[in-house]
Amino acid sequence: MTVKALRAIADGKNGLGAFVLQCRKLDLHYCDWAGSSKGMNGFIKSLLPKFAAANPQIEFAVSPRPGKHPVVVGHYINGRTKPICVRNLSPYEILQKVELLRDASGEKLRRTNKAVLSTKPSVRGIWSPYHGKGMAV
Amino acid sequence: MKRIRPSRWSGQLLQARCRAGIAATRQPLFLAVRCQSTSPATTANESSDLDSQRPPLPAPSFDRAAQSAKLAALHARLSLPRKIPLQTLARALVTPSADANPNFNNSNLAYLGSTIINYHVYEYLVCKWPRLPMAILYEALRAYAGDASLQQIARRWGVESAAAPGEEVDPGLLQWKAGEEQMVNTRWGYIRAEAAKGQAWRRGLSSRVVLDDDFGDQVSSSEPEKLEYSGLQSEAFGSVVRAVIGAIYTHCGREEVKSFVKSHILSRELDLSKLFEFKLPTRELAMLCAREGFEAPVARLESETGRLSRTPVYVVGIYSGKEKLGEGAGPSLDVARRKASMASLKAWYLYSPGNKVRVPSDMMEEGARPWTAPYIDIGEII
């Protein structure tokens, strides 16, 4: 028995087998009195029931926050949250913000300058100076 | 042990003792109206006086499962079939550490699920990499279906644990607490006669196949070994995944559960070549060549640079006759030779018939093509 085994954990790739939506919960805060919540109240009344029925993976929580601007907070599976203030926005603009939160992964935004990020080794391999005919100097 | 001196006790302790009789008649917490709760508060009229006098349940009652937003969201997030009721999903979240009664916790479902997961992972591993040594096979199974891996899966599903289990807790949270008597229901194996001799007693790999559990771990006799907090936690989270898979099998059957295991567990990425640790690679390679009737392996220096410098590099290839078995580069001739032997041994062990290998459970499908036997290896080298 000369071969021994090391411990490892298989790495999950979301979407490779099953896809799990990363947005776990959406908190919608509104105020009954303030004018900046007018659009939010309209959104909750008219658009939210349809949106919630179309996205059963997300837990929706609607709660008042009197005297404050309306806020939508997305909670993600990786533990992060993403709050967006939606003061003075119309219901359809709020819908766009909510869709943005639904589709976000919860990761910090970062610039990607490679078209593909791969965990597999390169098919062609890495160039080696020790193989082939060598270079004439 | 210190003597108990009630005269020295503080007022708080003594008062709490007096109120213990009254506490039983206090209303359960969930009757109180909570405005910002995710689940609707039940009305006080539903429960009679008798109901309010009973002791609180250790975990949330199953009839509150249909009202939990978290549970419905989890059901939809996993795209579980409608045949699986929310109550079953709620039960999958109750671990034996919260509720010891096996009629209400997930231990039975988790055991069923663990057998299904281990079966599907094993058949995949054995058919895809038929030459894997037994030790590597055990660790590969653990990498896919061990507690740590399943805990990651449960967390990526968005399963969260409650601060403490109890009747008033949302049924969509994992009911778990550390430090309770753990019931090891997800392991099965024989108790060895020499178990009392301790860990130093050698266990051969062949006996592990027969006597030990699915991961090749020894099943302890009387008292299960005490796990650390993180171990208990990963066991609790892992039991959720196992129980969900057991529930899918119970309600929907074989085909559904196979595709679920395939998409959630077998789709994970694992580099098997990183599991190997060799002790005597050159000797093992020589034994392999002798067994297979190849010519004895010879190490040849292919190229080198900077022999007299501080950072030399040697590239060594291992040849058997005219066939090149493997190649390795290292800072000394011996390291390069050992690396080359490891590379050639890995090339042997990690032989695979292809990515689209068929497994025995494929034959259960309707109208399956006739079975062709997979490649079966004659066994390990030493």
Side-chain angles (χ1 to χ4, degrees), chain A residues 19-67:
Chain A
F19 174 71
V20 174
L21 192 76
Q22 294 295 298
C23 182
R24 180 165 61 76
K25 184 183 177 187
L26 281 177
D27 278 338
L28 296 103
H29 298 293
Y30 66 96
C31 171
D32 276 331
W33 176 82
S36 64
S37 282
K38 205 177 142 202
M40 186 64 171
N41 295 347
F43 172 77
I44 290 170
K45 273 181 205 145
S46 57
L47 299 178
L48 182 62
K50 220 174 175 182
F51 185 80
N55 297 287
Q57 309 95 320
I58 305 173
E59 178 192 351
F60 287 90
V62 181
S63 55
R65 216 167 67 117

Side-chain angles (χ1 to χ4, degrees), chain B residues 358-371:
Chain B
R358 292 182 81 202
V359 291
S361 67
D362 286 347
M363 292 304 291
M364 306 262 204
E365 288 164 14
E366 290 285 321
R369 280 182 291 125
W371 176 249

Side-chain angles (χ1 to χ4, degrees), chain B residues 62 65-68 71-76 82-92 171:
Chain B
F62 67 91
Q67 293 149 10
S68 166
L71 209 54
L74 181 65
H75 193 282
R82 278 171 185 252
K83 281 185 202 165
I84 298 175
L86 285 175
Q87 285 80 3
T88 312
L89 192 60
R91 187 173 161 183

